[in-house]
Amino acid sequence: MFIPLYDTNRLRHIRLQYVTIGLIVVNALVYLATTLGGENFTNAAVLGLGFIPSVVHDKVELSPEFVVIPESLSYLTYSFLHADIFHLGGNMLFLWVFGDNVEDALGHIRYLIFYLLCAVAGAFFQGLVAWDSQVPLIGASGAIAGVVAAYLILYPRVKVWVLAFARIPLRIPAFIPLILWILFQVVMFAAGGEDQISWACHIGGIIAGSILVLVLRSRGVPLLAGADGEPDPTPNVQQPPVPVEPAASDGTPAQPASQWGRGAATSRD
């Protein structure tokens, strides 16, 4: 529906989004390593590092030749594997456009924790709805969904450039494509959409990202920032001018008028 291209949201608290860049590099390197190793190596990596609910829940035992890590670690490792270049490219594009500002709002360390926890949440939710599934879950979509949810909460009115229907360039507030993207995930999950896409993983990431951003954001970082990424300015309410009595003919300096008008009486002893 929408392909994000660029946002007009500068960094305010960090100089460089090196965690976001590092995550993109690691995902790309893992993809190259598994692809260049050949089909057998790729399949072994998917089985050994992907998240398989039935294996994690001890319903099925993985063949010893594919056991390379403790099963519990697959809650994380799955998120660094991708099926093809389009799978990788789509996830990394979303991470590049939206991840830097979420990292800016959370700080480097908290952002890395946030990203990994969103990945874990995506796998966890997939495991809940497909407890006995033997299909490996791979891809960073759960973590990316958390980043999207956090960006929506932090910067809903920042302008972003998107390609609508992959053809029409538009510059629109972020809440329009991001809300539509989230609603699409919810609808597809409820309708039991394409089997090759884990909509449950996306939902888990969205829920985790929405909660974690409220807990992990840096002190002073506002929610629902304005169109320029800054909090809405406080209205500048000016006090009305105080009326002044004209100077007397004898040169007496002018005095402020009584609050109740010129003719207000004063009490004297």
Side-chain angles (χ1 to χ4, degrees):
M1 186 179 296
F2 292 99
I3 299 176
L5 300 176
Y6 175 74
D7 68 340
T8 56
N9 197 359
R10 63 182 178 85
L11 300 177
R12 295 169 179 80
H13 308 288
I14 61 175
R15 292 185 178 181
L16 180 66
Q17 65 277 30
Y18 60 73
V19 175
T20 295
I21 295 173
L23 288 169
I24 293 173
V25 170
V26 169
N27 276 278
L29 290 177
V30 170
Y31 175 75
L32 288 176
T34 55
T35 303
L36 295 177
E39 184 176 354
N40 290 336
F41 185 80
T42 300
N43 291 336
V46 169
L47 291 172
L49 301 175
F51 178 79
I52 307 176
S54 60
V55 173
V56 173
H57 299 148
D58 296 324
K59 298 292 185 179
V60 174
E61 188 172 340
L62 192 64
S63 177
E65 62 187 289
F66 299 120
V67 177
V68 293
I69 60 170
E71 296 167 359
S72 58
L73 282 182
S74 65
Y75 279 98
L76 281 177
T77 55
Y78 86 94
S79 65
F80 293 95
L81 300 171
H82 289 85
D84 53 47
I85 192 65
F86 299 104
H87 188 202
L88 172 71
N91 280 336
M92 295 304 102
L93 179 60
F94 269 76
L95 183 57
W96 174 253
V97 174
F98 302 118
D100 59 337
N101 295 111
V102 178
E103 181 176 351
D104 185 50
L106 272 59
H108 302 300
I109 302 300
R110 287 192 297 271
Y111 171 69
L112 179 59
I113 295 171
F114 167 90
Y115 181 93
L116 296 177
L117 287 178
C118 287
V120 170
F124 179 78
F125 202 75
Q126 170 67 8
L128 284 181
V129 301
W131 190 269
D132 298 327
S133 175
Q134 298 183 34
V135 178
L137 171 67
I138 60 173
S141 299
I144 303 303
V147 170
V148 168
Y151 193 99
L152 176 61
I153 292 172
L154 291 168
Y155 309 109
R157 287 171 287 168
V158 167
K159 296 297 180 65
V160 296
W161 279 99
V162 299
L163 279 180
F165 307 104
R167 289 194 178 121
I168 307 170
L170 296 174
R171 185 173 181 263
I172 55 179
F175 74 86
I176 296 176
L178 298 189
I179 286 179
L180 289 176
W181 185 87
I182 290 174
L183 287 177
F184 181 72
Q185 313 309 307
V186 174
V187 169
M188 294 301 289
F189 170 70
E194 302 173 43
D195 291 337
Q196 293 185 345
I197 299 177
S198 174
W199 306 104
C201 180
H202 297 181
I203 299 300
I206 290 169
I207 295 172
S210 301
I211 297 172
L212 289 172
V213 69
L214 303 178
V215 177
L216 297 178
R217 65 191 171 103
S218 299
R219 182 178 300 177
V221 172
L223 301 176
L224 307 175
D228 59 353
E230 299 281 5
D232 289 332
T234 302
N236 184 18
V237 180
Q238 295 183 351
Q239 296 294 331
V242 177
V244 176
E245 293 281 4
S249 57
D250 60 358
T252 304
Q255 300 293 329
S258 167
Q259 181 181 358
W260 306 106
R262 287 188 178 183
T266 57
S267 60
R268 295 191 181 183
D269 294 335

